Amino acid sequence: MLSRRVRKMNPSITVELTAKVEELRKKGGDIISFNVGEPDFNTPAHICKAAKEAINQGFTNYTAVPGMMELREAIAKKLQTDNNLVYQPHEILVSTGAKQALINGVLSLCDFGDEVIVPTPCWVSYIEMIKLAEGTPVLVATKEAAGFQLDIEKIKEAVSDKTKAVIINSPNNPTGAVYSEGSLRELGELAVKHDFYILSDEVYEKLVYDGEKHIAIASLSEAIRERTITINGFSKAYAMTGWRLGYAAAPEKIIQAMNGIQGHMTSGANSITQKSAVEALSGSQKTLEDMRKSFEERRQYLLKRLNNMKNLTCHDAKGAFYLIPNVSRYYGSQYNGNVINNSMELSEFLLDKAKIAVVPGAAFEAPDNIRISYSNSLKKIKKGMDRMEKALNLLKV
Ligand code: PMP
Ligand code: GLU
């Protein structure tokens, strides 16, 4: 029999859905993807060039497990300049994607039965990572009416003597919420008071709109920094999802533990990718800003379209590249005698009838919502929204 650990694990719905849409497309289905969790842009040319040079120069051997020094120095500089965070290279660990940085962090902190608080809606993998580490996820809902901001009072109620950590993600996947400085400060102070850690996943930090500002929680005080693992990566900021590179910054003791795990799991991240990441951080940042502006234009269009649809509301989220309209008024509605009961069934209806792929909110502990990614061209977004509106109008509410 397979391990208890694996038997308790749910598959990643986001990853599975991407494979399913690919399959339908191969069979000729004209599907518009709103399920995508990656930028629809190519990696900037100067970053690709650095990778080609690395190959030509024979930079193809193992690197140090925590990452090559040149890259860790570039990351330290970035953290100081962008986030007002001071870390030395030995307090930084480069990993194969932010995913690996996160699981290294969770495995380093969590023992059997330890509780890890996760504000919801949340990205699909946090809960499963905690379960893999034999910890107990403690889910604390945020409210749509409060813009999905952290509910500090509810988090206070969830803290117990078993609380080991909290995992936060701002800008948030799937809600798009960007947490306020005030709420981050309160959470940080709570962590100091009750002696728990903070895993802060900041992979969408560059994708904020409407003058919104991303705050790194570890920058708020020395005591907060002492108990925070800041996670970041190259996938979203530099359109480098396939290159697989992320990193963690934390006090040395934690980084050493994470490094120990990584040393047995995968060793250092891909050497060529690391070279290109140095270029990503130290080269021109123009393409990054161009990409952000495109997302902003799409976000505004999508938001307007969604809020103009009947029986549907959508919160004006200022970060990442997702919106999660509330579709719960369609639950109980009928099409061809079939009742649509939840976000799964509504998403299936939209895939079938409107030929658009969205992620059911249930995947993110957001049962009233569906997630729409605007990592797609304006033209496709327009066409997809036309189709969605038409399909929803077939439902009798
Ligand atoms: N955190 C969040 C919130 C994400 O949406 C993703 C996307 N996959 C990741 C982490 C993982 O990123 P990476 O590609 O760097 O592993
Ligand atoms: N993070 C993306 C998403 O939420 C990519 C898929 C995944 O790794 O979960 O869709």
Side-chain angles (χ1 to χ4, degrees), residues 307-343:
N307 277 320
N308 280 340
M309 287 187 202
K310 274 192 287 185
N311 303 312
L312 190 152
T313 52
C314 187
H315 170 68
D316 178 3
K318 309 281 192 200
F321 39 70
Y322 310 109
L323 288 174
I324 56 164
N326 185 314
V327 290
S328 59
R329 283 181 65 189
Y330 284 103
Y331 300 168
S333 65
Q334 286 195 23
Y335 178 71
N336 272 355
N338 293 323
V339 182
I340 289 173
N341 293 298
N342 51 43
S343 66

PDB file of all heavy atoms in Angstrom, residues 307-343:
ATOM      1  N   ASN A 307     -18.417  42.721 -14.196  1.00  0.00           N
ATOM      2  CA  ASN A 307     -19.394  43.430 -13.366  1.00  0.00           C
ATOM      3  C   ASN A 307     -20.615  43.889 -14.156  1.00  0.00           C
ATOM      4  O   ASN A 307     -21.630  44.238 -13.562  1.00  0.00           O
ATOM      5  CB  ASN A 307     -18.727  44.585 -12.612  1.00  0.00           C
ATOM      6  CG  ASN A 307     -18.060  44.075 -11.342  1.00  0.00           C
ATOM      7  OD1 ASN A 307     -18.609  43.222 -10.637  1.00  0.00           O
ATOM      8  ND2 ASN A 307     -16.860  44.545 -11.067  1.00  0.00           N
ATOM      9  N   ASN A 308     -20.514  43.858 -15.488  1.00  0.00           N
ATOM     10  CA  ASN A 308     -21.689  44.183 -16.306  1.00  0.00           C
ATOM     11  C   ASN A 308     -22.563  42.959 -16.566  1.00  0.00           C
ATOM     12  O   ASN A 308     -23.637  43.073 -17.136  1.00  0.00           O
ATOM     13  CB  ASN A 308     -21.260  44.779 -17.653  1.00  0.00           C
ATOM     14  CG  ASN A 308     -20.912  46.247 -17.490  1.00  0.00           C
ATOM     15  OD1 ASN A 308     -21.340  46.878 -16.518  1.00  0.00           O
ATOM     16  ND2 ASN A 308     -20.112  46.788 -18.400  1.00  0.00           N
ATOM     17  N   MET A 309     -22.088  41.794 -16.155  1.00  0.00           N
ATOM     18  CA  MET A 309     -22.896  40.581 -16.394  1.00  0.00           C
ATOM     19  C   MET A 309     -23.968  40.446 -15.311  1.00  0.00           C
ATOM     20  O   MET A 309     -23.759  40.859 -14.178  1.00  0.00           O
ATOM     21  CB  MET A 309     -22.005  39.328 -16.394  1.00  0.00           C
ATOM     22  CG  MET A 309     -21.158  39.237 -17.634  1.00  0.00           C
ATOM     23  SD  MET A 309     -20.262  37.686 -17.722  1.00  0.00           S
ATOM     24  CE  MET A 309     -18.933  38.152 -18.823  1.00  0.00           C
ATOM     25  N   LYS A 310     -25.059  39.798 -15.719  1.00  0.00           N
ATOM     26  CA  LYS A 310     -26.173  39.611 -14.773  1.00  0.00           C
ATOM     27  C   LYS A 310     -25.800  38.595 -13.692  1.00  0.00           C
ATOM     28  O   LYS A 310     -25.045  37.657 -13.964  1.00  0.00           O
ATOM     29  CB  LYS A 310     -27.387  39.068 -15.539  1.00  0.00           C
ATOM     30  CG  LYS A 310     -28.238  40.180 -16.165  1.00  0.00           C
ATOM     31  CD  LYS A 310     -29.555  39.611 -16.646  1.00  0.00           C
ATOM     32  CE  LYS A 310     -29.361  38.780 -17.887  1.00  0.00           C
ATOM     33  NZ  LYS A 310     -30.491  38.245 -18.543  1.00  0.00           N
ATOM     34  N   ASN A 311     -26.323  38.776 -12.509  1.00  0.00           N
ATOM     35  CA  ASN A 311     -26.206  37.786 -11.424  1.00  0.00           C
ATOM     36  C   ASN A 311     -24.771  37.458 -11.026  1.00  0.00           C
ATOM     37  O   ASN A 311     -24.468  36.339 -10.601  1.00  0.00           O
ATOM     38  CB  ASN A 311     -26.887  36.471 -11.833  1.00  0.00           C
ATOM     39  CG  ASN A 311     -28.326  36.690 -12.182  1.00  0.00           C
ATOM     40  OD1 ASN A 311     -29.059  37.353 -11.443  1.00  0.00           O
ATOM     41  ND2 ASN A 311     -28.734  36.185 -13.336  1.00  0.00           N
ATOM     42  N   LEU A 312     -23.892  38.414 -11.212  1.00  0.00           N
ATOM     43  CA  LEU A 312     -22.486  38.124 -10.941  1.00  0.00           C
ATOM     44  C   LEU A 312     -21.824  39.394 -10.398  1.00  0.00           C
ATOM     45  O   LEU A 312     -22.132  40.497 -10.847  1.00  0.00           O
ATOM     46  CB  LEU A 312     -21.909  37.728 -12.290  1.00  0.00           C
ATOM     47  CG  LEU A 312     -20.546  37.129 -12.466  1.00  0.00           C
ATOM     48  CD1 LEU A 312     -20.553  36.264 -13.712  1.00  0.00           C
ATOM     49  CD2 LEU A 312     -19.545  38.186 -12.572  1.00  0.00           C
ATOM     50  N   THR A 313     -20.943  39.253  -9.429  1.00  0.00           N
ATOM     51  CA  THR A 313     -20.190  40.421  -8.945  1.00  0.00           C
ATOM     52  C   THR A 313     -18.718  40.059  -8.924  1.00  0.00           C
ATOM     53  O   THR A 313     -18.366  38.891  -8.743  1.00  0.00           O
ATOM     54  CB  THR A 313     -20.596  40.806  -7.499  1.00  0.00           C
ATOM     55  OG1 THR A 313     -20.503  39.632  -6.679  1.00  0.00           O
ATOM     56  CG2 THR A 313     -21.985  41.401  -7.420  1.00  0.00           C
ATOM     57  N   CYS A 314     -17.889  41.074  -9.111  1.00  0.00           N
ATOM     58  CA  CYS A 314     -16.457  40.784  -9.069  1.00  0.00           C
ATOM     59  C   CYS A 314     -15.717  41.872  -8.312  1.00  0.00           C
ATOM     60  O   CYS A 314     -15.845  43.058  -8.626  1.00  0.00           O
ATOM     61  CB  CYS A 314     -15.902  40.641 -10.484  1.00  0.00           C
ATOM     62  SG  CYS A 314     -14.200  40.077 -10.452  1.00  0.00           S
ATOM     63  N   HIS A 315     -14.943  41.442  -7.334  1.00  0.00           N
ATOM     64  CA  HIS A 315     -14.157  42.374  -6.535  1.00  0.00           C
ATOM     65  C   HIS A 315     -12.998  42.939  -7.364  1.00  0.00           C
ATOM     66  O   HIS A 315     -12.377  42.235  -8.143  1.00  0.00           O
ATOM     67  CB  HIS A 315     -13.625  41.625  -5.302  1.00  0.00           C
ATOM     68  CG  HIS A 315     -12.633  42.423  -4.559  1.00  0.00           C
ATOM     69  ND1 HIS A 315     -12.982  43.568  -3.870  1.00  0.00           N
ATOM     70  CD2 HIS A 315     -11.293  42.298  -4.427  1.00  0.00           C
ATOM     71  CE1 HIS A 315     -11.897  44.088  -3.337  1.00  0.00           C
ATOM     72  NE2 HIS A 315     -10.866  43.337  -3.660  1.00  0.00           N
ATOM     73  N   ASP A 316     -12.723  44.230  -7.159  1.00  0.00           N
ATOM     74  CA  ASP A 316     -11.650  44.920  -7.882  1.00  0.00           C
ATOM     75  C   ASP A 316     -10.297  44.614  -7.235  1.00  0.00           C
ATOM     76  O   ASP A 316      -9.829  45.351  -6.369  1.00  0.00           O
ATOM     77  CB  ASP A 316     -11.944  46.433  -7.838  1.00  0.00           C
ATOM     78  CG  ASP A 316     -10.878  47.252  -8.516  1.00  0.00           C
ATOM     79  OD1 ASP A 316      -9.934  46.665  -9.073  1.00  0.00           O
ATOM     80  OD2 ASP A 316     -10.987  48.495  -8.486  1.00  0.00           O
ATOM     81  N   ALA A 317      -9.685  43.509  -7.659  1.00  0.00           N
ATOM     82  CA  ALA A 317      -8.422  43.083  -7.042  1.00  0.00           C
ATOM     83  C   ALA A 317      -7.248  43.762  -7.729  1.00  0.00           C
ATOM     84  O   ALA A 317      -7.223  43.881  -8.941  1.00  0.00           O
ATOM     85  CB  ALA A 317      -8.298  41.574  -7.165  1.00  0.00           C
ATOM     86  N   LYS A 318      -6.261  44.148  -6.932  1.00  0.00           N
ATOM     87  CA  LYS A 318      -5.183  45.000  -7.457  1.00  0.00           C
ATOM     88  C   LYS A 318      -3.870  44.277  -7.713  1.00  0.00           C
ATOM     89  O   LYS A 318      -2.836  44.934  -7.855  1.00  0.00           O
ATOM     90  CB  LYS A 318      -4.913  46.144  -6.477  1.00  0.00           C
ATOM     91  CG  LYS A 318      -6.124  46.930  -6.029  1.00  0.00           C
ATOM     92  CD  LYS A 318      -6.552  47.925  -7.064  1.00  0.00           C
ATOM     93  CE  LYS A 318      -7.574  48.887  -6.456  1.00  0.00           C
ATOM     94  NZ  LYS A 318      -8.349  49.557  -7.497  1.00  0.00           N
ATOM     95  N   GLY A 319      -3.876  42.954  -7.695  1.00  0.00           N
ATOM     96  CA  GLY A 319      -2.596  42.275  -7.898  1.00  0.00           C
ATOM     97  C   GLY A 319      -2.712  40.939  -8.610  1.00  0.00           C
ATOM     98  O   GLY A 319      -3.806  40.460  -8.893  1.00  0.00           O
ATOM     99  N   ALA A 320      -1.548  40.356  -8.909  1.00  0.00           N
ATOM    100  CA  ALA A 320      -1.417  39.074  -9.632  1.00  0.00           C
ATOM    101  C   ALA A 320      -2.073  39.184 -11.020  1.00  0.00           C
ATOM    102  O   ALA A 320      -2.122  40.284 -11.587  1.00  0.00           O
ATOM    103  CB  ALA A 320      -1.989  37.920  -8.819  1.00  0.00           C
ATOM    104  N   PHE A 321      -2.580  38.080 -11.578  1.00  0.00           N
ATOM    105  CA  PHE A 321      -3.317  38.221 -12.852  1.00  0.00           C
ATOM    106  C   PHE A 321      -4.588  37.395 -12.832  1.00  0.00           C
ATOM    107  O   PHE A 321      -4.916  36.700 -13.784  1.00  0.00           O
ATOM    108  CB  PHE A 321      -2.454  37.915 -14.088  1.00  0.00           C
ATOM    109  CG  PHE A 321      -1.491  36.769 -13.950  1.00  0.00           C
ATOM    110  CD1 PHE A 321      -1.938  35.466 -13.878  1.00  0.00           C
ATOM    111  CD2 PHE A 321      -0.120  36.999 -13.923  1.00  0.00           C
ATOM    112  CE1 PHE A 321      -1.060  34.410 -13.764  1.00  0.00           C
ATOM    113  CE2 PHE A 321       0.781  35.953 -13.812  1.00  0.00           C
ATOM    114  CZ  PHE A 321       0.308  34.653 -13.731  1.00  0.00           C
ATOM    115  N   TYR A 322      -5.273  37.494 -11.689  1.00  0.00           N
ATOM    116  CA  TYR A 322      -6.512  36.739 -11.518  1.00  0.00           C
ATOM    117  C   TYR A 322      -7.628  37.626 -10.984  1.00  0.00           C
ATOM    118  O   TYR A 322      -7.382  38.541 -10.198  1.00  0.00           O
ATOM    119  CB  TYR A 322      -6.315  35.620 -10.495  1.00  0.00           C
ATOM    120  CG  TYR A 322      -5.110  34.750 -10.715  1.00  0.00           C
ATOM    121  CD1 TYR A 322      -4.006  34.826  -9.869  1.00  0.00           C
ATOM    122  CD2 TYR A 322      -5.074  33.831 -11.768  1.00  0.00           C
ATOM    123  CE1 TYR A 322      -2.897  34.017 -10.053  1.00  0.00           C
ATOM    124  CE2 TYR A 322      -3.965  33.014 -11.958  1.00  0.00           C
ATOM    125  CZ  TYR A 322      -2.873  33.116 -11.105  1.00  0.00           C
ATOM    126  OH  TYR A 322      -1.784  32.314 -11.289  1.00  0.00           O
ATOM    127  N   LEU A 323      -8.854  37.319 -11.419  1.00  0.00           N
ATOM    128  CA  LEU A 323     -10.043  37.890 -10.777  1.00  0.00           C
ATOM    129  C   LEU A 323     -10.919  36.700 -10.400  1.00  0.00           C
ATOM    130  O   LEU A 323     -10.931  35.683 -11.116  1.00  0.00           O
ATOM    131  CB  LEU A 323     -10.795  38.829 -11.726  1.00  0.00           C
ATOM    132  CG  LEU A 323     -10.112  40.176 -12.024  1.00  0.00           C
ATOM    133  CD1 LEU A 323     -10.887  40.944 -13.096  1.00  0.00           C
ATOM    134  CD2 LEU A 323      -9.974  41.045 -10.771  1.00  0.00           C
ATOM    135  N   ILE A 324     -11.619  36.830  -9.272  1.00  0.00           N
ATOM    136  CA  ILE A 324     -12.496  35.704  -8.907  1.00  0.00           C
ATOM    137  C   ILE A 324     -13.937  36.179  -8.708  1.00  0.00           C
ATOM    138  O   ILE A 324     -14.365  36.468  -7.595  1.00  0.00           O
ATOM    139  CB  ILE A 324     -11.993  34.895  -7.685  1.00  0.00           C
ATOM    140  CG1 ILE A 324     -11.772  35.750  -6.436  1.00  0.00           C
ATOM    141  CG2 ILE A 324     -10.734  34.138  -8.001  1.00  0.00           C
ATOM    142  CD1 ILE A 324     -11.659  34.852  -5.181  1.00  0.00           C
ATOM    143  N   PRO A 325     -14.684  36.256  -9.825  1.00  0.00           N
ATOM    144  CA  PRO A 325     -16.081  36.661  -9.689  1.00  0.00           C
ATOM    145  C   PRO A 325     -16.873  35.702  -8.816  1.00  0.00           C
ATOM    146  O   PRO A 325     -16.604  34.498  -8.807  1.00  0.00           O
ATOM    147  CB  PRO A 325     -16.602  36.629 -11.135  1.00  0.00           C
ATOM    148  CG  PRO A 325     -15.647  35.772 -11.884  1.00  0.00           C
ATOM    149  CD  PRO A 325     -14.322  35.930 -11.205  1.00  0.00           C
ATOM    150  N   ASN A 326     -17.833  36.282  -8.098  1.00  0.00           N
ATOM    151  CA  ASN A 326     -18.744  35.467  -7.286  1.00  0.00           C
ATOM    152  C   ASN A 326     -19.887  35.002  -8.196  1.00  0.00           C
ATOM    153  O   ASN A 326     -20.624  35.808  -8.754  1.00  0.00           O
ATOM    154  CB  ASN A 326     -19.274  36.316  -6.123  1.00  0.00           C
ATOM    155  CG  ASN A 326     -20.115  35.502  -5.175  1.00  0.00           C
ATOM    156  OD1 ASN A 326     -20.975  34.730  -5.594  1.00  0.00           O
ATOM    157  ND2 ASN A 326     -19.869  35.675  -3.887  1.00  0.00           N
ATOM    158  N   VAL A 327     -20.008  33.690  -8.334  1.00  0.00           N
ATOM    159  CA  VAL A 327     -20.989  33.123  -9.260  1.00  0.00           C
ATOM    160  C   VAL A 327     -22.085  32.365  -8.518  1.00  0.00           C
ATOM    161  O   VAL A 327     -22.863  31.630  -9.124  1.00  0.00           O
ATOM    162  CB  VAL A 327     -20.301  32.176 -10.281  1.00  0.00           C
ATOM    163  CG1 VAL A 327     -19.446  32.948 -11.269  1.00  0.00           C
ATOM    164  CG2 VAL A 327     -19.446  31.124  -9.558  1.00  0.00           C
ATOM    165  N   SER A 328     -22.140  32.548  -7.201  1.00  0.00           N
ATOM    166  CA  SER A 328     -23.008  31.686  -6.381  1.00  0.00           C
ATOM    167  C   SER A 328     -24.493  31.863  -6.692  1.00  0.00           C
ATOM    168  O   SER A 328     -25.294  30.975  -6.397  1.00  0.00           O
ATOM    169  CB  SER A 328     -22.740  31.904  -4.893  1.00  0.00           C
ATOM    170  OG  SER A 328     -22.961  33.247  -4.559  1.00  0.00           O
ATOM    171  N   ARG A 329     -24.854  32.994  -7.309  1.00  0.00           N
ATOM    172  CA  ARG A 329     -26.276  33.153  -7.641  1.00  0.00           C
ATOM    173  C   ARG A 329     -26.729  32.181  -8.735  1.00  0.00           C
ATOM    174  O   ARG A 329     -27.916  31.964  -8.936  1.00  0.00           O
ATOM    175  CB  ARG A 329     -26.579  34.601  -8.032  1.00  0.00           C
ATOM    176  CG  ARG A 329     -26.644  35.477  -6.763  1.00  0.00           C
ATOM    177  CD  ARG A 329     -26.966  36.892  -7.040  1.00  0.00           C
ATOM    178  NE  ARG A 329     -28.294  37.081  -7.585  1.00  0.00           N
ATOM    179  CZ  ARG A 329     -28.726  38.237  -8.073  1.00  0.00           C
ATOM    180  NH1 ARG A 329     -27.921  39.285  -8.080  1.00  0.00           N
ATOM    181  NH2 ARG A 329     -29.938  38.344  -8.556  1.00  0.00           N
ATOM    182  N   TYR A 330     -25.751  31.620  -9.419  1.00  0.00           N
ATOM    183  CA  TYR A 330     -26.106  30.614 -10.443  1.00  0.00           C
ATOM    184  C   TYR A 330     -26.285  29.214  -9.859  1.00  0.00           C
ATOM    185  O   TYR A 330     -26.720  28.304 -10.555  1.00  0.00           O
ATOM    186  CB  TYR A 330     -25.054  30.585 -11.554  1.00  0.00           C
ATOM    187  CG  TYR A 330     -25.206  31.764 -12.488  1.00  0.00           C
ATOM    188  CD1 TYR A 330     -24.350  32.848 -12.407  1.00  0.00           C
ATOM    189  CD2 TYR A 330     -26.239  31.819 -13.416  1.00  0.00           C
ATOM    190  CE1 TYR A 330     -24.512  33.953 -13.231  1.00  0.00           C
ATOM    191  CE2 TYR A 330     -26.411  32.911 -14.242  1.00  0.00           C
ATOM    192  CZ  TYR A 330     -25.538  33.978 -14.144  1.00  0.00           C
ATOM    193  OH  TYR A 330     -25.716  35.056 -14.955  1.00  0.00           O
ATOM    194  N   TYR A 331     -25.912  29.028  -8.576  1.00  0.00           N
ATOM    195  CA  TYR A 331     -26.057  27.694  -7.993  1.00  0.00           C
ATOM    196  C   TYR A 331     -27.543  27.417  -7.785  1.00  0.00           C
ATOM    197  O   TYR A 331     -28.281  28.262  -7.295  1.00  0.00           O
ATOM    198  CB  TYR A 331     -25.296  27.576  -6.668  1.00  0.00           C
ATOM    199  CG  TYR A 331     -23.792  27.816  -6.797  1.00  0.00           C
ATOM    200  CD1 TYR A 331     -22.997  27.989  -5.674  1.00  0.00           C
ATOM    201  CD2 TYR A 331     -23.171  27.878  -8.048  1.00  0.00           C
ATOM    202  CE1 TYR A 331     -21.626  28.219  -5.788  1.00  0.00           C
ATOM    203  CE2 TYR A 331     -21.811  28.102  -8.165  1.00  0.00           C
ATOM    204  CZ  TYR A 331     -21.044  28.287  -7.039  1.00  0.00           C
ATOM    205  OH  TYR A 331     -19.699  28.525  -7.163  1.00  0.00           O
ATOM    206  N   GLY A 332     -27.958  26.233  -8.215  1.00  0.00           N
ATOM    207  CA  GLY A 332     -29.381  25.888  -8.168  1.00  0.00           C
ATOM    208  C   GLY A 332     -30.067  26.168  -9.502  1.00  0.00           C
ATOM    209  O   GLY A 332     -31.214  25.785  -9.704  1.00  0.00           O
ATOM    210  N   SER A 333     -29.372  26.843 -10.411  1.00  0.00           N
ATOM    211  CA  SER A 333     -29.988  27.129 -11.715  1.00  0.00           C
ATOM    212  C   SER A 333     -29.934  25.862 -12.583  1.00  0.00           C
ATOM    213  O   SER A 333     -29.212  24.912 -12.279  1.00  0.00           O
ATOM    214  CB  SER A 333     -29.279  28.289 -12.408  1.00  0.00           C
ATOM    215  OG  SER A 333     -27.965  27.905 -12.718  1.00  0.00           O
ATOM    216  N   GLN A 334     -30.700  25.912 -13.666  1.00  0.00           N
ATOM    217  CA  GLN A 334     -30.818  24.695 -14.481  1.00  0.00           C
ATOM    218  C   GLN A 334     -30.464  24.933 -15.936  1.00  0.00           C
ATOM    219  O   GLN A 334     -30.701  26.012 -16.472  1.00  0.00           O
ATOM    220  CB  GLN A 334     -32.269  24.217 -14.448  1.00  0.00           C
ATOM    221  CG  GLN A 334     -32.637  23.600 -13.136  1.00  0.00           C
ATOM    222  CD  GLN A 334     -33.932  22.814 -13.230  1.00  0.00           C
ATOM    223  OE1 GLN A 334     -34.329  22.389 -14.315  1.00  0.00           O
ATOM    224  NE2 GLN A 334     -34.574  22.622 -12.096  1.00  0.00           N
ATOM    225  N   TYR A 335     -29.912  23.875 -16.533  1.00  0.00           N
ATOM    226  CA  TYR A 335     -29.727  23.890 -17.991  1.00  0.00           C
ATOM    227  C   TYR A 335     -30.071  22.500 -18.509  1.00  0.00           C
ATOM    228  O   TYR A 335     -29.499  21.510 -18.041  1.00  0.00           O
ATOM    229  CB  TYR A 335     -28.294  24.267 -18.374  1.00  0.00           C
ATOM    230  CG  TYR A 335     -28.090  24.240 -19.859  1.00  0.00           C
ATOM    231  CD1 TYR A 335     -28.685  25.218 -20.665  1.00  0.00           C
ATOM    232  CD2 TYR A 335     -27.363  23.228 -20.470  1.00  0.00           C
ATOM    233  CE1 TYR A 335     -28.544  25.177 -22.039  1.00  0.00           C
ATOM    234  CE2 TYR A 335     -27.213  23.188 -21.843  1.00  0.00           C
ATOM    235  CZ  TYR A 335     -27.812  24.166 -22.623  1.00  0.00           C
ATOM    236  OH  TYR A 335     -27.678  24.124 -23.984  1.00  0.00           O
ATOM    237  N   ASN A 336     -31.007  22.451 -19.458  1.00  0.00           N
ATOM    238  CA  ASN A 336     -31.443  21.160 -20.027  1.00  0.00           C
ATOM    239  C   ASN A 336     -31.818  20.152 -18.942  1.00  0.00           C
ATOM    240  O   ASN A 336     -31.454  18.978 -19.017  1.00  0.00           O
ATOM    241  CB  ASN A 336     -30.315  20.552 -20.882  1.00  0.00           C
ATOM    242  CG  ASN A 336     -30.404  21.046 -22.307  1.00  0.00           C
ATOM    243  OD1 ASN A 336     -31.350  21.766 -22.660  1.00  0.00           O
ATOM    244  ND2 ASN A 336     -29.417  20.686 -23.120  1.00  0.00           N
ATOM    245  N   GLY A 337     -32.455  20.628 -17.906  1.00  0.00           N
ATOM    246  CA  GLY A 337     -32.897  19.727 -16.842  1.00  0.00           C
ATOM    247  C   GLY A 337     -31.828  19.394 -15.813  1.00  0.00           C
ATOM    248  O   GLY A 337     -32.096  18.746 -14.811  1.00  0.00           O
ATOM    249  N   ASN A 338     -30.566  19.798 -16.065  1.00  0.00           N
ATOM    250  CA  ASN A 338     -29.499  19.515 -15.081  1.00  0.00           C
ATOM    251  C   ASN A 338     -29.312  20.715 -14.161  1.00  0.00           C
ATOM    252  O   ASN A 338     -29.250  21.857 -14.635  1.00  0.00           O
ATOM    253  CB  ASN A 338     -28.173  19.249 -15.792  1.00  0.00           C
ATOM    254  CG  ASN A 338     -28.235  17.971 -16.592  1.00  0.00           C
ATOM    255  OD1 ASN A 338     -28.859  17.005 -16.163  1.00  0.00           O
ATOM    256  ND2 ASN A 338     -27.624  17.983 -17.758  1.00  0.00           N
ATOM    257  N   VAL A 339     -29.193  20.441 -12.879  1.00  0.00           N
ATOM    258  CA  VAL A 339     -28.992  21.539 -11.922  1.00  0.00           C
ATOM    259  C   VAL A 339     -27.496  21.792 -11.738  1.00  0.00           C
ATOM    260  O   VAL A 339     -26.711  20.849 -11.644  1.00  0.00           O
ATOM    261  CB  VAL A 339     -29.628  21.191 -10.551  1.00  0.00           C
ATOM    262  CG1 VAL A 339     -29.470  22.353  -9.571  1.00  0.00           C
ATOM    263  CG2 VAL A 339     -31.110  20.855 -10.720  1.00  0.00           C
ATOM    264  N   ILE A 340     -27.132  23.068 -11.717  1.00  0.00           N
ATOM    265  CA  ILE A 340     -25.731  23.427 -11.435  1.00  0.00           C
ATOM    266  C   ILE A 340     -25.631  23.762  -9.954  1.00  0.00           C
ATOM    267  O   ILE A 340     -26.253  24.717  -9.485  1.00  0.00           O
ATOM    268  CB  ILE A 340     -25.297  24.605 -12.324  1.00  0.00           C
ATOM    269  CG1 ILE A 340     -25.167  24.090 -13.753  1.00  0.00           C
ATOM    270  CG2 ILE A 340     -23.990  25.213 -11.827  1.00  0.00           C
ATOM    271  CD1 ILE A 340     -24.917  25.125 -14.772  1.00  0.00           C
ATOM    272  N   ASN A 341     -24.871  22.953  -9.222  1.00  0.00           N
ATOM    273  CA  ASN A 341     -24.881  23.076  -7.767  1.00  0.00           C
ATOM    274  C   ASN A 341     -23.699  23.835  -7.187  1.00  0.00           C
ATOM    275  O   ASN A 341     -23.777  24.336  -6.071  1.00  0.00           O
ATOM    276  CB  ASN A 341     -24.883  21.677  -7.120  1.00  0.00           C
ATOM    277  CG  ASN A 341     -26.185  20.958  -7.411  1.00  0.00           C
ATOM    278  OD1 ASN A 341     -27.249  21.428  -7.016  1.00  0.00           O
ATOM    279  ND2 ASN A 341     -26.099  19.841  -8.120  1.00  0.00           N
ATOM    280  N   ASN A 342     -22.584  23.866  -7.901  1.00  0.00           N
ATOM    281  CA  ASN A 342     -21.374  24.435  -7.280  1.00  0.00           C
ATOM    282  C   ASN A 342     -20.386  24.922  -8.337  1.00  0.00           C
ATOM    283  O   ASN A 342     -20.661  24.849  -9.538  1.00  0.00           O
ATOM    284  CB  ASN A 342     -20.725  23.369  -6.384  1.00  0.00           C
ATOM    285  CG  ASN A 342     -20.528  22.064  -7.151  1.00  0.00           C
ATOM    286  OD1 ASN A 342     -20.107  22.076  -8.307  1.00  0.00           O
ATOM    287  ND2 ASN A 342     -20.856  20.957  -6.524  1.00  0.00           N
ATOM    288  N   SER A 343     -19.226  25.405  -7.852  1.00  0.00           N
ATOM    289  CA  SER A 343     -18.240  26.003  -8.771  1.00  0.00           C
ATOM    290  C   SER A 343     -17.668  24.971  -9.743  1.00  0.00           C
ATOM    291  O   SER A 343     -17.311  25.309 -10.874  1.00  0.00           O
ATOM    292  CB  SER A 343     -17.122  26.677  -7.983  1.00  0.00           C
ATOM    293  OG  SER A 343     -16.363  25.732  -7.263  1.00  0.00           O
TER     294      SER A 343
END
